[in-house]
């Protein structure tokens, strides 16, 4: 009998981040000492006070179905967070809590996209934006960000790809995979372009906002351009800032009508987020800011250590990331050469696969993020692993013929 699958899944690749993590696990199962820099997941533990808040909530009976769009306590904590940290005022019906930031995107795109609508995504991008857009008939359109500009989005690059079919523009600074941070001035220039397209929604994914280094100040788009706030979805969450990836809590502030439509989507998919995880997220957002600052300091120190080591390798280039926990070295200088194991490196994917096979270090090729030839190095692991990974990369490149 034929087995039927939905057309909307046709041609959707599995994210390469997951593919590299899978390959790394398979090599580990063979007994190899694999270092994985493939996943964007903090290596810190969730703060104990957050875990205790979850425990207390469960014992206090917060174990029933929660409201679809979030518990009143968490929505109030989110509203305080937006006001305190971003200078943004959102009322309860302008806030929604989802299963991670990822579900915010899923809800927003499902609620708004029709077949053929264009979704502008600056490259390189976090893998999920184009994949989720395509699930709903959206057509990803790419606005390139270049290494020479520190991978920041230039207003001209955005303007060049806007069309009458543009339905969404996605912004993600600090950026995954490059760590690029857009300044207030950068965002003002981008906002000027967006003003000319009044029916376009804007997703500002600010999930790495606390991981900004070198005295740079994070700027939230809706605060920089308040006149655009009624079409901006400000996405954030606790995964990255509070080392809470497994709790699955993300949230968004946005216009009432869009939030209501997103609530409708989520109500038919997952309903409300786990009540206990929401209690934990409330404690995280209301908790002391120094925990987040300490983690950011560690990421910043590791970033400098990794970028200096990468820049010392002949044939590699590396922009200094100003935020998040990634480095994005360029490998153009190594293509066309052959590894010690006999693989001809034609692409960054060849590079990442051979580096994993021959040196047991998992990274993700730039192709996965829409900008080649690069590798993404996640710095969310300890110093020893990072130093060892850089030493292995140096040896791998030195042995190229
Ligand atoms: C840029 C970006 N946005 C959103 C997310 C979603 O995170 P979560 O669903 O854990 O909140 C991630 C996770 O990797 C990310 O890198």
């Amino acid at each position: 009998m034929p087995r039927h699958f939905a057309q909307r899944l046709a041609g959707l690749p599995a994210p390469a981040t997951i593919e590299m993590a899978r390959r790394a696990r398979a090599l580990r199962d063979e007994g190899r000492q694999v270092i994985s820099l493939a996943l964007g997941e903090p290596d810190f533990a969730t703060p104990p006070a957050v875990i205790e808040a979850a425990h207390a909530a469960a014992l206090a009976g917060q174990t029933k179905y929660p409201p679809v769009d979030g518990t009143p306590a968490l929505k109030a904590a989110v509203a305080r967070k937006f006001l305190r940290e971003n200078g943004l005022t959102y009322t309860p019906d302008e806030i929604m809590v989802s299963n991670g930031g990822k579900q915010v995107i899923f809800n927003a795109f499902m609620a708004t996209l029709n077949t053929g609508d264009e979704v502008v995504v600056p490259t390189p991008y976090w893998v999920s934006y184009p994949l989720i857009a395509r699930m709903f008939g959206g057509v990803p359109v790419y606005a390139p960000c270049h290494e020479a500009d520190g991978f920041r989005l230039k207003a001209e690059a955005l303007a060049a790809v806007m069309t009458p079919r543009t339905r969404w523009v996605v912004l993600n600074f600090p950026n995954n995979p490059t760590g690029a941070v857009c300044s207030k001035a950068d965002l003002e220039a981008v906002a000027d372009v967006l003003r000319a397209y009044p029916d376009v929604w804007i997703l500002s994914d600010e999930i790495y906002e606390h991981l900004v280094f070198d005295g740079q100040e994070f700027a939230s788009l809706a605060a920089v351009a308040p006149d655009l706030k009624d079409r901006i979805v400000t996405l954030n969450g606790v995964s990255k800032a509070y080392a809470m990836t497994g709790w699955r809590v993300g949230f968004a502030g946005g216009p009432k009508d869009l939030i209501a439509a997103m609530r409708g989507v989520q109500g038919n998919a997952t309903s409300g987020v786990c009540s206990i995880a929401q209690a934990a997220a409330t404690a995280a957002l209301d908790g002391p800011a120094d925990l987040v600052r300490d983690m950011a300091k560690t990421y910043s120190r590791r970033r400098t250590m990794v970028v200096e080591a990468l820049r010392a390798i002949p044939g590699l280039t590396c922009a200094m990331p100003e935020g998040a926990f990634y480095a994005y070295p360029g490998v153009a200088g190594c293509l066309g050469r052959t590894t010690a194991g006999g693989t001809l490196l034609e692409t960054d994917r060849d590079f990442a696969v051979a580096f994993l096979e021959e040196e047991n270090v998992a990274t993700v090729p730039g192709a996965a993020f829409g900008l080649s030839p690069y590798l993404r190095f996640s710095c969310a692991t300890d110093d020893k692993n990072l130093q060892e990974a850089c030493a292995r990369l140096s040896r791998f490149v030195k042995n190229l013929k």
Side-chain angles (χ1 to χ4, degrees):
M1 289 292 281
R3 297 157 75 81
H4 300 285
F5 290 92
Q7 285 265 316
R8 74 178 70 87
L9 297 186
L12 276 194
T17 40
I18 298 199
E19 195 220 324
M20 288 307 283
R22 187 191 53 73
R23 278 174 179 265
R25 236 187 342 267
L27 293 180
R28 234 182 232 140
D29 290 346
E30 287 173 16
R32 296 215 220 161
Q33 293 294 314
V34 176
I35 299 175
S36 181
L37 309 181
L39 283 185
E41 173 154 73
D43 57 320
F44 297 105
T46 298
V50 168
I51 297 173
E52 275 159 19
H55 187 203
L59 289 175
Q62 290 180 36
T63 50
K64 308 288 188 201
Y65 284 126
V68 169
D69 55 346
T71 60
L74 179 52
K75 287 176 65 172
V78 167
R80 284 192 291 277
K81 174 258 174 293
F82 277 133
L83 188 60
R84 181 178 68 239
E85 296 177 348
N86 309 116
L88 295 173
T89 304
Y90 286 112
T91 55
D93 51 4
E94 294 173 321
I95 290 173
M96 116 154 250
V97 176
S98 295
N99 287 274
K102 188 177 263 185
Q103 196 183 19
V104 168
I105 305 168
F106 192 94
N107 291 340
F109 285 1
M110 189 179 202
T112 53
L113 284 176
N114 288 307
T115 302
D117 287 346
E118 293 179 356
V119 177
V120 170
V121 181
T123 58
Y125 47 74
W126 179 46
V127 292
S128 292
Y129 308 126
L131 291 179
I132 297 175
R134 284 168 57 184
M135 286 181 98
F136 301 117
V139 179
V141 172
Y142 301 109
C145 301
H146 300 288
E147 187 175 357
D149 299 322
F151 296 112
R152 282 182 213 88
L153 176 63
K154 292 284 166 195
E156 313 82 74
L158 175 62
V161 297
M162 298 295 291
T163 77
R165 290 178 304 283
T166 307
R167 184 62 53 240
W168 278 94
V169 170
V170 175
L171 302 175
N172 168 223
F173 299 98
N175 178 262
N176 174 6
T178 63
V181 176
C182 276
S183 66
K184 192 162 173 270
D186 293 326
L187 291 180
E188 271 162 1
V190 163
D192 270 343
V193 175
L194 296 169
R195 283 188 184 102
Y197 295 88
D199 62 343
V200 167
W201 299 109
I202 304 145
L203 175 71
S204 184
D205 181 344
E206 304 181 357
I207 204 153
Y208 292 98
E209 93 174 287
H210 291 293
L211 308 184
V212 168
F213 317 135
D214 306 329
Q216 277 252 81
E217 257 190 47
F218 171 76
S220 176
L221 182 70
V224 171
D227 58 314
L228 304 184
K229 185 166 170 257
D230 73 340
R231 51 196 177 100
I232 296 174
V233 172
T234 304
L235 181 159
N236 216 312
V238 294
S239 286
K240 313 292 177 175
Y242 299 93
M244 292 177 68
T245 45
W247 298 79
R248 308 310 304 132
V249 183
F251 51 85
K256 229 178 272 182
D257 55 353
L258 180 52
I259 292 290
M262 289 163 61
R263 191 167 57 228
V265 171
Q266 185 164 304
N268 287 300
T270 55
S271 296
V273 173
C274 165
S275 53
I276 298 162
Q278 292 198 62
T282 306
L285 293 179
D286 285 341
D290 53 347
L291 287 176
V292 180
R293 272 198 295 270
D294 288 349
M295 287 192 256
K297 266 191 216 145
T298 303
Y299 290 128
S300 167
R301 187 180 49 68
R302 287 177 184 165
R303 169 224 46 180
T304 309
M305 179 182 85
V306 165
V307 171
E308 283 172 0
L310 294 173
R311 285 179 171 173
I313 301 175
L316 297 193
T317 55
C318 194
M320 184 61 84
E322 294 171 324
F325 42 58
Y326 307 100
Y328 203 62
V331 297
C334 302
L335 300 188
R337 300 169 70 192
T338 303
T339 67
T343 301
L344 171 63
L345 300 181
E346 292 184 290
T347 64
D348 52 16
R349 189 175 175 282
D350 296 342
F351 191 115
V353 171
F355 183 41
L356 174 59
E357 296 287 341
E358 297 180 26
E359 291 287 356
N360 299 310
V361 180
T363 57
V364 184
F369 310 105
L371 191 73
S372 291
Y374 292 89
L375 295 182
R376 188 188 74 173
F377 253 62
S378 168
C379 300
T381 182
D382 64 30
D383 289 21
K384 196 167 134 279
N385 271 340
L386 290 170
Q387 282 159 353
E388 177 61 21
C390 291
R392 293 186 195 180
L393 182 58
S394 175
R395 181 172 60 204
F396 180 79
V397 172
K398 203 190 272 155
N399 288 338
L400 293 177
K401 293 187 271 290

